[in-house]
Amino acid sequence: MDALLYLVPGVMIAGCVFGAVQVIRRALRTSRAWTHGLTAEGRCLNTYTKTSGGNDTAVRSTLHHVYEFTTREGERFRFDEVGGDSTVVAGDHVVVRYLADRPQWATALRPARGRLILGTGVLVAFMGVVAVGCVFFAVSAHSAV
């Protein structure tokens, strides 16, 4: 039973670290595409929303876009992107930015470095607070045992 007092916070800390690394990696990929990427004309193929929550929690909707573009080498790629401009609908043409060696990491988001930094910072800070809370809980549980 005592092992659970360390196992559960340990798994939560590992999840927070993994999540923070993924958020930072995504932000770096997006920033590189904005800074060093090539541009191509893309087309929005579809938009859809995913909803979560309900019952006792707030309902949250997340907008997704499915885009298609052709690289300079003639390869055609499709990608699904969370967020983006809510006025973009199926059939609209957009500017897609991609890295020549990683076209599957393309983005149709307009460059907004401040927003990217702020969003990444908030998510990483939240995960850090949760991880510190888990450490505090494990230390408190250890001293109480």
Side-chain angles (χ1 to χ4, degrees):
M1 185 64 177
D2 289 341
L4 284 177
L5 295 175
Y6 305 112
L7 182 63
V8 172
V11 169
M12 290 178 68
I13 291 168
C16 287
V17 170
F18 178 77
V21 168
Q22 294 303 312
V23 167
I24 291 168
R25 286 177 67 194
R26 184 189 67 196
L28 290 174
R29 280 196 308 251
T30 301
S31 180
R32 272 184 293 200
W34 287 343
T35 305
H36 305 292
L38 302 172
T39 59
E41 182 178 336
R43 193 168 71 93
C44 179
L45 300 178
N46 191 19
T47 61
Y48 63 96
T49 57
K50 283 189 177 179
T51 57
S52 60
N55 296 335
D56 294 338
T57 61
V59 175
R60 176 175 158 81
S61 296
T62 306
L63 179 65
H64 291 252
H65 291 91
V66 178
Y67 296 108
E68 182 177 71
F69 72 100
T70 303
T71 65
R72 292 183 182 176
E73 290 76 30
E75 291 182 85
R76 185 169 267 170
F77 282 92
R78 285 186 182 180
F79 66 98
D80 184 317
E81 189 165 51
V82 176
D85 191 351
S86 62
T87 62
V88 174
V89 295
D92 285 354
H93 291 270
V94 296
V95 174
V96 173
R97 291 172 176 80
Y98 68 97
L99 296 173
D101 57 336
R102 299 277 191 213
Q104 67 273 20
W105 292 345
T107 182
L109 295 174
R110 290 189 181 129
R113 295 204 195 299
R115 184 175 181 181
L116 181 66
I117 291 168
L118 180 63
T120 302
V122 167
L123 284 173
V124 170
F126 174 75
M127 289 180 208
V129 167
V130 171
V132 168
C134 290
V135 169
F136 180 71
F137 174 81
V139 169
S140 299
H142 178 73
S143 63
V145 173

